[in-house]
Amino acid sequence: MTSLLKQAEETLEKAHAGINPRWYPRYHLAARAGWMNDPNGLVWFDGWYHAFYQHHPYSTKWGPMHWGHARSKDLVHWEHMPVALAPEGPADKDGCFSGSAVVDGDTLALIYTGHKFHGPADTDDNLYQVQCLATSRDGIHFERHGMVIDTPPGLHHFRDPKVWREGEFWYMVVGSRVGNTGQVRLYRSTNLQEWHDEGILAEAEQGMGYMWECPDFFALNGSRVLMFSPQGLVAEGYKNRNLFQSGYLLGEWQPGQPFSHDGQFIEMDSGHDFYAPQSFLSPDGRRIVIGWLDMWESPMPEQQDGWAGMLSLPREVSLGDNNRLMMKPIAEVTALRGSYFPVPAHCLNNQRVFVAAEAEAVELLLEWERGTSLAEQYGMVLGDGLRIYVDNQAQRLVLERNYPDFSLMGTRSIPLPEGSILSLRIFIDRSSVEVFVNEGEACLSSRIYPQPGQRDIMLFANSGAAALKEAGYWSLDK
């Protein structure tokens, strides 16, 4: 272990003992202490799922990026591993930025962005981002091989490589910025070390963002999905309400051919906090996505507790009948379930019904009967800070959070989906909520910060009646 990795480990061990656990997740993956952002290097290798992530071990603020590391047998129960990468070479002296991982025979390869300034760091003119390689035989200790792709001429923002194998070649997509236009660039290799420039895979049209971060490109049900996080989209009505977005373009592609798509960018998650998702394949062939359950420049009250940032639940993605991505929690999350507690009331009429006390880690199932639920608003509340409800006048499903002490207030919403039953799976952790609608038709994910005594779950119906086909919850724990 290098001196910088050893120093990071010693810092984390000491800091972890001192964190305040009030909002630290019970079943989501978060760093032991310090700062976490993008998931990186999601991969199955040598009998384990591995999740790497952007990490600053020395403070709860973003800083010189390291790669944190955890592994799991089931994507639910995580074991923290030593920090995998530290910014300690000429190619990444100012940060080991986001990237991906692939299995090459008996070797685990990490491909990541080396972040460096040639001169003062106060101007992008001195910024250079290159793609680097590190390999491991045991999945824990990594040998660094330095830069494998230099910054293209005239570029400065050139980051977040995602690598996959197709036929006899490795392919890589990288996000970039040319002026105020976001791009995804494509590369090809036979050995992960020498890469051939295949040109621009996709480029932003007017209004589609000045930088495309964290690109991911994969096949799904015969189509090709370009998943990425564009920066610079303008909010439009209910769309693009967060500082930055995460979503996808759907189209067709074969090696050596252009990526053909309709230009329709579709957001993947409609909550306040979901960014930089990355996908990978499970051994049984499922396409699974994990995102950062936060948003840039949003308040993060947990910083005062010694940690910051967490990852979403792993989500299985599929392509629906309407050619839209579906995302639902992976089947393995049911292993967290304890006892099931049914809600006895199945009709609410201008009333509130108690469901659970001091809910820190639960999965709530609500199946509302749309045809007989005519209340102006009906849904659930967690304390006085979170409401998830149907607004019948607006015909929308709304996630509303109200934590004025932390400047976290406001709503996110989606149009009510069609169908006679509105099925909601709501996962509540100590400082997060993830809502899955109708088995993955839509998702809304947000951070929440309940104070002591503000964790009781209630159901409600205002100005009318609402009917439930099924309601209940499971306690969740590791």
Side-chain angles (χ1 to χ4, degrees):
M1 182 178 285
T2 67
S3 59
L4 282 182
L5 290 175
K6 185 171 184 290
Q7 181 180 326
E9 279 301 302
E10 292 171 349
T11 299
L12 285 168
E13 286 180 18
K14 184 183 297 184
H16 179 65
I19 68 167
N20 183 338
R22 59 180 169 164
W23 292 316
Y24 191 85
R26 290 264 293 270
Y27 59 93
H28 288 76
L29 179 58
R32 287 168 282 174
W35 169 275
M36 165 197 272
N37 58 287
D38 305 1
N40 300 151
L42 306 177
V43 70
W44 170 265
F45 173 69
D46 197 24
W48 292 88
Y49 290 104
H50 293 260
F52 302 86
Y53 51 87
Q54 291 288 277
H55 187 29
H56 188 223
Y58 299 108
S59 83
T60 59
K61 303 286 182 67
W62 186 92
M65 285 291 98
H66 296 54
W67 271 40
H69 182 198
R71 68 180 185 180
S72 171
K73 289 289 188 180
D74 61 3
L75 288 170
V76 173
H77 303 90
W78 292 97
E79 173 189 1
H80 287 287
M81 304 304 291
V83 174
L85 297 173
E88 53 188 347
D92 61 15
K93 66 184 182 67
D94 296 309
C96 300
F97 273 25
S98 293
S100 54
V102 294
V103 178
D104 185 16
D106 60 357
T107 299
L108 177 61
L110 307 184
I111 303 94
Y112 67 97
T113 295
H115 181 74
K116 57 182 180 173
F117 286 92
H118 296 178
D122 58 356
T123 171
D124 282 0
D125 292 342
N126 295 331
L127 170 65
Y128 292 90
Q129 294 182 328
V130 301
Q131 312 317 316
C132 301
L133 175 68
T135 58
S136 172
R137 292 295 179 90
D138 63 6
I140 301 170
H141 306 93
F142 290 87
E143 177 186 358
R144 299 156 57 89
H145 302 281
M147 181 181 73
V148 294
I149 300 180
D150 202 352
T151 316
L155 290 192
H156 295 282
H157 293 271
F158 174 64
R159 56 183 177 267
D160 311 335
K162 178 65 191 291
V163 176
W164 75 98
R165 181 91 185 189
E166 190 151 347
E168 59 183 314
F169 294 109
W170 295 102
Y171 291 90
M172 176 196 298
V173 284
V174 185
S176 64
R177 174 179 181 176
V178 176
N180 283 318
T181 300
Q183 293 180 336
V184 172
R185 295 182 169 233
L186 180 67
Y187 295 84
R188 176 171 55 87
S189 174
T190 57
N191 59 12
L192 297 176
Q193 304 231 16
E194 290 94 21
W195 290 89
H196 179 261
D197 187 348
E198 297 278 289
I200 297 169
L201 180 73
E203 186 171 56
E205 298 176 0
Q206 184 68 31
M208 277 291 292
Y210 60 78
M211 174 68 197
W212 284 7
E213 290 198 312
C214 304
D216 196 341
F217 196 51
F218 54 88
L220 199 62
N221 294 30
S223 296
R224 295 282 177 159
V225 179
L226 177 60
M227 185 172 71
F228 60 104
S229 296
Q231 297 180 323
L233 299 193
V234 176
E236 178 186 343
Y238 292 106
K239 294 166 56 178
N240 306 330
R241 299 307 309 179
N242 296 329
L243 176 64
F244 301 134
Q245 323 308 319
S246 295
Y248 63 93
L249 296 168
L250 192 65
E252 298 179 356
W253 178 82
Q254 292 296 329
Q257 301 297 315
F259 175 46
S260 172
H261 61 88
D262 62 7
Q264 185 181 10
F265 175 77
I266 301 171
E267 287 185 87
M268 295 181 67
D269 190 294
S270 300
H272 295 87
D273 295 290
F274 187 79
Y275 193 68
Q278 185 173 112
S279 81
F280 66 102
L281 282 175
S282 66
D284 61 3
R286 290 172 295 164
R287 178 65 60 174
I288 298 173
V289 165
I290 299 177
W292 181 41
L293 207 56
D294 284 286
M295 179 49 58
W296 293 109
E297 297 185 19
S298 289
M300 302 172 94
E302 73 267 26
Q303 288 175 318
Q304 62 190 281
D305 293 345
W307 66 283
M310 58 191 287
L311 301 186
S312 73
L313 283 176
R315 306 169 178 193
E316 181 181 353
V317 296
S318 59
L319 203 58
D321 294 337
N322 60 353
N323 262 1
R324 296 288 183 94
L325 282 193
M326 308 271 287
M327 287 200 303
K328 63 182 181 181
I330 58 169
E332 287 89 335
V333 302
T334 59
L336 294 169
R337 290 175 176 173
S339 300
Y340 181 69
F341 301 92
V343 175
H346 283 265
C347 185
L348 291 75
N349 193 349
N350 293 307
Q351 68 187 114
R352 283 194 168 204
V353 173
F354 175 82
V355 175
E358 285 302 298
E360 279 197 344
V362 302
E363 177 189 348
L364 179 66
L365 173 65
L366 300 175
E367 293 186 350
W368 296 100
E369 295 186 4
R370 294 273 306 281
T372 52
S373 297
L374 303 179
E376 289 186 0
Q377 293 184 350
Y378 59 90
M380 63 81 66
V381 298
L382 180 74
D384 59 9
L386 174 69
R387 295 203 308 157
I388 299 165
Y389 63 93
V390 170
D391 183 332
N392 251 333
Q393 295 180 83
Q395 285 292 292
R396 299 188 73 83
L397 177 68
V398 182
L399 187 158
E400 177 183 352
R401 62 181 181 181
N402 182 42
Y403 301 100
D405 290 350
F406 309 119
S407 300
L408 287 165
M409 295 170 288
T411 64
R412 295 289 182 268
S413 67
I414 60 168
L416 280 177
E418 296 179 2
S420 60
I421 300 294
L422 176 65
S423 174
L424 305 178
R425 288 179 71 186
I426 302 171
F427 289 82
I428 296 169
D429 207 337
R430 281 179 175 154
S431 61
S432 67
V433 61
E434 292 170 89
V435 183
F436 296 90
V437 183
N438 288 359
E439 287 298 304
E441 284 185 32
C443 307
L444 299 98
S445 304
S446 296
R447 296 297 300 276
I448 58 174
Y449 295 93
Q451 298 283 30
Q454 292 294 328
R455 290 188 176 275
D456 289 358
I457 297 176
M458 309 275 286
L459 301 184
F460 73 92
N462 296 339
S463 300
L468 284 155
K469 179 183 178 185
E470 178 68 40
Y473 74 94
W474 292 268
S475 58
L476 302 181
D477 212 343
K478 289 186 177 182

